[in-house]
Each structure stands twice: as structure tokens, then as C-alpha cells.
Amino acid sequence: MFTKLQNIYQLGCKELWSLWRDPIMLVLIIYTFTVSVYTSSTAVKETLNMAPIAIVDEDHSTLSERISSAFYPPNFTSKTTTLNTMDEGMDAGEFTFAVNIPANFQQDVLSGESAEIQVNVDATRMTQAMSGAGYIQQMIQSEVNEYVLRNREVTNLPIDLAIRSRFNPTLEKQWFMSVMQIINNVAMLSIILTGAALIREREHGTIEHLMVMPVTVFEIMMSKVWSMSLVVLIAAFVGLKVVVQGVLHVPIDGSLPLFFFGALLTLFATTSMGIYMATVSKSMPQFGLLMMLVLIPMQMLSGGLTPRESMPEIVQQVMMIAPTTHFVSLAQAILYRNAGFDVVWPSFVWLLGIASVFFYVSWKRFKDTIHTMA
């Protein structure tokens, strides 16, 4: 037993040295848990943020000026323009929205006649177009009502509705996206590193050296699993402490040791997946294509981006065999809601079972194909 452990340790150290001498992989690791986390949580805005809007005021009345002045930062960046310039700007993609207030608009409103305002939306910008169109309609309606009634109408409801946002009281998008990026990158990077390490052995011819050494397939696999898992855990810890908590100031109230224990079980499964995919692939390009077919559905359907309850029942059942599904569930419960082991233990049991099955299947595949790989 001591000899096996020693072989696993030494082979794992060899993997770490090989990774240290690979600058491309080192850059990928650093980028994945620093720049990628920061940009995904701050650069991509799903809500209105400095959306460019063109306003064509053909009425030049008090009401039209009130409507024009209602669009201000941080939701909008407005620009007063002409009708021809508005069309050219929409065609060129300079504006997401364009509001055209026709002549005699105020007169038609006050006289009770039919009054229309044209709102053009660039629907290719889906994230802002969907929410922005409704928001603009509400703003215009509110300004018109206030102007006609000469006061802001307040409706007294028969109940007192108190809305409280749990776990993210200010509804900060980066609180969610930064942590989810760490969770997704743990699975992605572990598959890449493990699969690339095995393919690198074959491309460099060192797999032949391993075959003549007094080591077993189990020892070779375990060396790659523990070494690549260690790298991902360290990178995830640095990204979580430095980028998420240090730079983005996202509060993490849950137990980090419990979270990383769940990440360790997930890595046991995903590294096994990386080894299996590497035995199926004959080159790095093939491995990259296969990884896209596996990783993208895992991340999209694991519940990190969209709640699993909103997915079809068959998709929910199929995704129960994916380790990322249970990792996302336990990670959100621990980091967001400060859940303890008594709450997330079913996810740990699922991960342990999935990881064991994946490792056994990968070990059988690796054992059957190691001679043909050499």
C-alpha cells in the first residue's frame, strides 16, 4: 500500500512539473479564475445600463420636454436628434432605442384626441431590448399622466405589501455571476487539464515510459486526478478570496471548507470525465470538440443559469447524473444561504456516487485502451 501511495505521489508531482513547464496552460488557469470571473460579473449587463436612446422631438412642447428629460443615466444615455439621423443611427447600431414624439402631441393629449408616440427598438440586443421596451412605455405613460392630472397619482392599496430580497438585498448581479463563474470554471478547467495531461503523454511518447514502469493503470489515473484537482482547488480558492471577495467585495457567509469539500468530490468526477474523453479522442482538437459537446450542456442545464424547475421534466431527470447539477445546488446553498451539511448532504451523496461510477468507467476504458494509445 505504501508503494502504491508513493507511486501515485511521485507521478502526480511529475504532472505538476509538466504543467509548470506549459506556459499556455498556466495562462489559461490564471485567466480563468481572475479576468474571466471579473469580466463575466461586471461587463455583461442583463438590465438597462447606459442604453443609448435617440429622441426626436417634433412637438417642442412642455410635455415632450418632460418625456425627453425622463431618460437619464444610469439607465439611459439620451441624444436629441432628427428623424433622418435617428433612422441612420438605428441602422448603424448606434441606438438601442429611438423615441419619436410627433408634432401637436401635447395638444392632442390635452384635447382628448388619439395621440401616438413611436418607439423603435433594436431587437438584436436581446438582453436590454426585452426589458427596455416595457420600461420606456411605463416612463412615457407616467409622465403623460402626471402632466394631465397635474400631480403624481398615488394608489392606496388595501394591503401593505413588504418585499424583501433574501441573500442579495440590493439585487447586485455581480454577487451572483462572480460566484457562478467560479463554480462553472471548476468543472471546465478540471476536464481540460486532466484530458490535456493524458493526451500530452501520448503526443510526447511518455505513455510508453509509464507502461514499462512498475505502476498500474489505477496509480496513473489517481496521480492525474489528485494533481489536477489540487491545481483547480488552489486556483478556485485564490479566485474566490482575491477576485470575488477582494476586488468585487461580494460577501460570502457560508462555510468555505464545506464548499471546497463539495468541490473536491466534483473534481473527482470531472477529472475522471476528462480521462475518459481523452481516451476517446485521438488528438487535442478532437478532445476540444468533444469537450464542447459535453461541457456546454452541463453548464447550461445544471441550474446555474436557469432554475431546473423551469426545465422540462425529462431534462431534469437526465441532468441528475451530471456532477455539475449537484455541485451548483450545494454551492449555492452553502455560499449564498449559509447552509450546513445537514441541508446539503444529499448533494454530497449524489456526488460521491456519480464520481465513483465515473472513475470506474474511466479506469476500465483507460485500462482497455492504454496499449493502443502508446
Side-chain angles (χ1 to χ4, degrees), residues 63 140-153:
L63 179 56
I140 294 176
Q141 188 68 41
S142 175
E143 293 296 331
V144 172
N145 290 339
E146 290 180 24
Y147 183 78
V148 173
L149 297 175
R150 302 299 180 182
N151 66 331
R152 186 181 298 273
E153 184 178 8

Side-chain angles (χ1 to χ4, degrees), residues 154-228:
V154 179
T155 302
N156 295 322
L157 299 177
I159 60 173
D160 185 12
L161 182 64
I163 300 177
R164 297 182 177 88
S165 301
R166 295 288 304 274
F167 317 117
N168 188 359
T170 57
L171 299 179
E172 290 287 344
K173 174 177 174 288
Q174 65 185 26
W175 285 22
F176 174 78
M177 289 302 300
S178 58
V179 176
M180 285 309 307
Q181 192 68 13
I182 293 286
I183 295 172
N184 291 332
N185 288 345
V186 166
M188 178 190 70
L189 197 62
S190 59
I191 294 176
I192 293 176
L193 292 180
T194 312
L198 184 55
I199 293 178
R200 186 169 53 238
E201 296 272 13
R202 183 171 55 198
E203 292 179 343
H204 294 174
T206 54
I207 191 71
E208 298 176 352
H209 300 165
L210 293 176
M211 290 179 60
V212 299
M213 293 177 62
V215 294
T216 63
V217 174
F218 175 82
E219 294 170 359
I220 297 174
M221 277 191 60
M222 283 302 301
S223 66
K224 298 183 184 301
V225 169
W226 83 258
S227 58
M228 296 301 103

Side-chain angles (χ1 to χ4, degrees), residues 180 183-184 186-187 258-259 261-267 269-270 273 298-299 301-304 308 315-335 337 343-355 358:
M180 285 309 307
I183 295 172
N184 291 332
V186 166
L258 187 61
F259 165 73
F261 179 59
L264 183 62
L265 292 178
T266 305
L267 289 169
T270 53
M273 292 176 60
M298 282 177 54
Q299 292 186 346
L301 304 177
S302 61
R308 294 183 62 248
V315 175
Q316 297 184 39
Q317 297 300 326
V318 171
M319 289 305 297
M320 289 297 291
I321 64 174
T324 51
T325 299
H326 307 284
F327 183 45
V328 168
S329 176
L330 70 88
Q332 290 181 344
I334 295 172
L335 298 180
R337 300 187 288 271
V343 176
V344 298
W345 69 265
S347 297
F348 280 86
V349 174
W350 270 99
L351 280 175
L352 182 60
I354 293 172
F358 281 11

